[in-house]
Amino acid sequence: MAKRQPNFICQSCGAVYNRWKGKCEACGGWNSIAEETGSASPLSGPVATRPSRAKGRIFPLEGLTGETKEAPRTPSGIAELDRVTGGGFVRGSVILLGGDPGIGKSTLLMQASAALAKKGHRVAYISGEEAVAQVRLRAERLGLADAPVELASETNVEDIVATLTQGRAPALAIIDSIQTMWTETVESAPGTVTQVRGSAQALIRFAKTSGTAVILVGHVTKDGQIAGPRVVEHMVDAVASFEGDTGHHFRILRSVKNRFGPTDEIGVFEMSDQGLREVSNPSELFLSGRDLAAPGTAVFAGMEGTRPVLVEMQALVAPSALGTPRRAVVGWDPSRLSMVLAVLEAHGGLRLGMHDVYLNVAGGLRITEPAADLAAAAALVSSLSGSPLPPDSVFFGELGLSGAIRPVAQAPARLKEAAKLGFSRAVSPVPRKEKGERQALATNAIGHITDLVAGIAAERPRQKAVPFRREG
Ligand code: TYD
Ligand code: MG
């Protein structure tokens, strides 16, 4: 009999080594490698159960054209959730839902389960983390205790699959969470990469054979990765992450990967004492509580997937007491801030080397679009100069290293949303080509960062010191 070799497996990326190392060469993680015994080659997943045969089965190969039915979907009726899944849960698909602990994953899934169950679908909610009584308490708190959801507190994948294949196949099965699951085909402890991968494989196989849509909950580590399940991400059909910070009430469900629908799409929810409430107009929420008279705030007309979202960017530029000034960013990419600061210095005539710079996206949204450059620059210039930006203006545009303002996609949608919310001006790049399209808003097209700085200086109501002093 072949001797079982211990394997050393990186718990964050799944790389396999034959001896222990302090640092994973594949992902660069420190102290992430742990010993696991189990199947000789963990990459092959659970040991194949098919008896070895001399010859393989012959299967027909097919062409690209042929009869394909539209993926049959089960909408949850929660519009913000259906928007992210692309119109409902696809039969036989597997979704990985990641998010920080306590962000509201179980709450969201309980609400989705109850909505589906109330429509007459069979829904199973398997919790590996909480006892049945705890899940019931949450359902009661959400006012959903009367929904016919089938509940269990189980962690063994074989038992779960055996139970769920009895009777009518469920339309939806929730596994909360994949890290607590274990399968008998793998010897490692629950929570290890091998177990997570083995359990996920078994559940994916169940989904494909039964037609049940399965949602796997995955925890996220400090650095934003779905722990262990980096290795699961490529096996599932869709990956969604539930974001937000616990200091704010609203939560964003973001589609990261979707084989059956759009990515970059977001659903916005608000956490209340009765669970998650849908927010159908996020711009209103992100702009509420705006301080119109304060310098350093600019409204960014952004896009999240197909949906325009207006959000306030706040900047604070203050003389630094330290040798090396601080740069702190919340909700935006720090390296983009460095770039915008460099462009403002090189081409805008601003001196920021002796100033601390703070940038914050109000409300806890995370912006990834380069189109936010212009809004960030406007907020920074406004804060440094002490002159508030006109409260009826929105900003968008990408900044080039030469100081040029580059056009961005979907300008008409951004302008339309801004007009809808009562804005009357947009500071934006010169559009690529006018197609005689009527614009929803008066645009103040600017081609270079100097135009922005000059524009803000001109807005400044008779004030004291000249803000753009050149030093040295
Ligand atoms: P939970 O869904 O348990 O988070 P996760 O599964 O992502 O770990 O939600 C936990 C938080 O949500 C908890 O701090 C309490 C809060 N919450 C509300 O504010 N209102 C509610 O109605 C519910 C059910 C939870
Ligand atoms: Mg939970």
Side-chain angles (χ1 to χ4, degrees):
M1 206 179 113
K3 204 172 151 220
R4 286 225 162 148
Q5 290 248 326
N7 282 301
F8 294 87
I9 300 180
C10 172
Q11 299 298 308
S12 75
C13 75
V16 186
Y17 299 92
N18 56 10
R19 61 186 181 81
W20 190 84
K21 288 175 188 225
K23 184 185 180 189
C24 172
E25 281 158 16
C27 71
W30 286 96
N31 210 10
S32 60
I33 296 173
E35 181 177 346
E36 288 185 27
T37 48
S39 50
S41 162
L43 282 179
S44 68
V47 190
T49 46
R50 191 165 8 150
S52 64
R53 273 186 282 173
K55 267 197 203 156
R57 182 176 57 86
I58 295 167
F59 55 86
L61 298 164
E62 285 171 43
L64 283 175
T65 51
E67 244 181 72
T68 333
K69 279 179 261 147
E70 171 71 27
R73 294 176 184 274
T74 321
S76 67
I78 302 174
E80 293 294 302
L81 178 62
D82 290 341
R83 168 196 290 277
V84 175
T85 53
F89 303 114
V90 175
R91 262 175 59 90
S93 73
V94 180
I95 301 173
L96 177 68
L97 175 68
D100 289 328
I103 204 77
K105 299 181 293 298
S106 306
T107 307
L108 176 70
L109 293 177
M110 179 47 77
Q111 286 181 254
S113 308
L116 236 58
K118 280 186 178 167
K119 284 203 250 164
H121 297 285
R122 184 178 172 208
V123 180
Y125 189 109
I126 313 293
S127 178
E129 298 191 335
E130 293 164 294
V132 169
Q134 279 174 293
V135 182
R136 274 200 196 124
L137 266 177
R138 181 184 292 115
E140 252 165 56
R141 181 170 174 191
L142 297 170
L144 298 170
D146 57 337
V149 176
E150 295 172 29
L151 207 59
S153 176
E154 280 297 333
T155 54
N156 181 292
V157 172
E158 280 76 26
D159 295 352
I160 292 171
V161 170
T163 309
L164 295 185
T165 38
Q166 276 202 322
R168 179 163 67 113
L172 179 69
I174 313 277
I175 306 293
D176 188 1
S177 65
I178 187 66
Q179 275 102 344
T180 55
M181 296 294 140
W182 64 282
T183 162
E184 280 151 20
T185 55
V186 175
E187 282 170 27
S188 314
T192 55
V193 170
T194 324
Q195 267 299 356
V196 166
R197 182 162 33 200
S199 306
Q201 243 161 13
L203 290 163
I204 290 168
R205 210 174 311 129
F206 162 71
K208 303 293 169 206
T209 51
S210 67
T212 299
V214 174
I215 302 184
L216 308 174
V217 174
H219 289 294
V220 164
T221 52
K222 310 179 268 326
D223 45 356
Q225 275 165 6
I226 302 181
R230 277 302 297 280
V231 289
V232 176
E233 278 183 22
H234 71 266
M235 295 159 56
V236 297
D237 298 304
V239 179
S241 76
F242 206 35
E243 304 167 357
D245 58 35
T246 27
H248 288 107
H249 283 299
F250 54 88
R251 305 277 182 267
I252 291 156
L253 183 65
R254 194 183 288 276
S255 153
V256 183
K257 158 184 170 177
N258 197 346
R259 285 184 186 153
F260 304 111
T263 49
D264 303 330
E265 206 59 84
I266 63 164
V268 185
F269 298 89
E270 191 178 6
M271 182 62 98
S272 72
D273 53 353
Q274 276 137 37
L276 291 157
R277 254 205 303 266
E278 295 180 58
V279 177
S280 47
N281 192 345
S283 301
E284 266 167 24
L285 183 79
F286 292 131
L287 292 182
S288 60
R290 201 151 64 97
D291 188 355
L292 297 174
T297 66
V299 175
F300 167 50
M303 294 294 298
E304 291 287 349
T306 55
R307 170 150 69 170
V309 175
L310 300 193
V311 51
E312 188 186 59
M313 296 191 85
Q314 306 171 333
L316 178 64
V317 180
S320 179
L322 305 167
T324 317
R326 285 191 55 126
R327 268 91 178 94
V329 199
V330 178
W332 204 44
D333 183 3
S335 53
R336 279 214 90 85
L337 172 67
S338 308
M339 196 201 81
V340 169
L341 291 176
V343 172
L344 282 173
E345 290 222 10
H347 303 289
L350 270 64
R351 289 291 168 266
L352 297 155
M354 304 294 285
H355 288 82
D356 287 337
V357 175
Y358 302 91
L359 192 83
N360 178 36
V361 177
L365 190 70
R366 258 205 71 80
I367 298 180
T368 48
E369 265 194 298
D373 293 352
L374 192 61
L380 290 165
V381 175
S382 160
S383 174
L384 180 69
S385 66
S387 53
L389 297 167
D392 62 344
S393 292
V394 297
F395 296 80
F396 63 89
E398 185 180 342
L399 203 55
L401 286 180
S402 63
I405 314 284
R406 302 159 53 87
V408 296
Q410 290 164 300
R414 299 173 199 265
L415 296 174
K416 215 169 132 198
E417 175 78 357
K420 202 172 93 191
L421 281 146
F423 289 88
S424 52
R425 264 200 292 174
V427 180
S428 60
V430 182
R432 281 199 194 96
K433 198 111 194 104
E434 289 284 343
K435 279 194 242 120
E437 212 174 311
R438 261 207 68 235
Q439 273 169 338
L441 210 63
T443 48
N444 186 356
I446 56 172
H448 198 266
I449 190 74
T450 45
D451 302 341
L452 177 79
V453 176
I456 295 173
E459 291 276 349
R460 186 160 36 96
R462 317 127 258 121
Q463 257 182 7
K464 359 126 216 159
V466 183
F468 309 116
R469 73 198 123 93
R470 284 178 181 271
E471 281 158 25

